Amino acid sequence: MYHTGIEAPQGIWWKPVHKSEKIWVSIAFAWCMVLFAMMPLWHLRGGQNPSGIRHRVDANAYRARVAEFIAQYQVGSDRGMPVVAPPPGSDVYLQAQMWSWLPVLKLEEGAEYVLHLSSVDVNHGFSLFPLNVNFQVVPGYDYGLRVRPTAAGEFEILCNEFCGVGHHLMVGKIIVTPAAAAGAPASAEGARSEPQASGVHQ
Ligand code: CUA
């Protein structure tokens, strides 16, 4: 026996759909619509979008800008790496390259900065330990994030994008000093107990 497609198939397929199947299809369809609506909704309301300003940048131009930034605000050095303390409100530059983060940044708790991230060679990943902050660092793009450190301390920058044999050695540092003035607004209610919420803010 073979089937031609012209004759009606055998069985009882023409009987009305069972009620439970109708319910199931309705639920599945409604859920599909919910998930579909979540996509634009989360984009607008999810608070997940980086506060980024993106520009194309030439690797050499970025390298020069980082060098200028270091020369301007260097306050010391840490194992051969310059330590840079830019004033609150300023533009801060971090350069990723195989296999280091340049320079060590010294920021003030509660102050706002624009943190520029770019790579001068391959893709790297910026993740701030132990906070839940993750960004791609892409050559050719200057990614400016508006950040406000909400907890004082030392934070490690770990590379989370495989970038060659020295990938696991690619560790940088951000030092956050406690808010300078006594009774400064940011120090009263620290985000110390809530690491996920701190780090990068809109
Ligand atoms: Cu840079 Cu991995």
Side-chain angles (χ1 to χ4, degrees):
M1 277 289 281
Y2 55 90
H3 214 272
T4 63
I6 296 171
E7 302 151 36
Q10 307 268 314
I12 50 163
W13 59 272
W14 59 88
K15 283 204 169 174
V17 182
H18 193 270
K19 196 181 165 197
S20 60
E21 193 169 358
K22 275 185 188 165
I23 292 170
W24 162 242
V25 168
S26 310
I27 292 171
F29 181 75
W31 186 239
C32 284
M33 291 295 106
V34 169
L35 294 181
F36 182 70
M38 289 296 246
M39 287 192 280
L41 196 71
W42 235 237
H43 178 75
L44 299 170
R45 303 300 305 271
Q48 63 173 6
N49 305 317
S51 56
I53 314 147
R54 263 159 295 176
H55 297 288
R56 291 209 76 118
V57 70
D58 173 69
N60 287 323
Y62 193 77
R63 205 191 292 270
R65 186 65 190 88
V66 173
E68 189 189 318
F69 168 69
I70 293 169
Q72 205 171 359
Y73 301 120
Q74 184 168 3
V75 292
S77 68
D78 180 354
R79 272 171 275 167
M81 190 60 77
V83 178
V84 178
S90 62
D91 285 66
V92 172
Y93 294 84
L94 192 62
Q95 172 184 316
Q97 78 182 102
M98 293 185 275
W99 292 282
S100 62
W101 299 93
L102 180 75
V104 171
L105 295 172
K106 203 170 191 179
L107 307 178
E108 209 177 281
E109 183 186 358
E112 201 171 301
Y113 302 88
V114 177
L115 173 61
H116 293 263
L117 295 170
S118 190
S119 163
V120 294
D121 42 40
V122 298
N123 261 37
H124 297 279
F126 173 93
S127 66
L128 201 55
F129 187 78
L131 308 178
N132 186 14
V133 174
N134 265 298
F135 283 100
Q136 287 277 322
V137 184
V138 182
Y141 282 93
D142 173 350
Y143 208 159
L145 299 169
R146 285 185 204 89
V147 299
R148 185 202 307 271
T150 52
E154 280 195 18
F155 301 89
E156 281 185 324
I157 305 164
L158 306 181
C159 181
N160 61 15
E161 195 68 44
F162 184 74
C163 56
V165 292
H167 163 69
H168 63 290
L169 300 171
M170 190 165 166
V171 180
K173 199 194 277 183
I174 293 181
I175 302 163
V176 179
T177 55
S187 63
E189 231 172 287
R192 270 163 246 258
S193 56
E194 229 183 302
Q196 277 86 349
S198 51
V200 175
H201 278 285
Q202 182 95 16

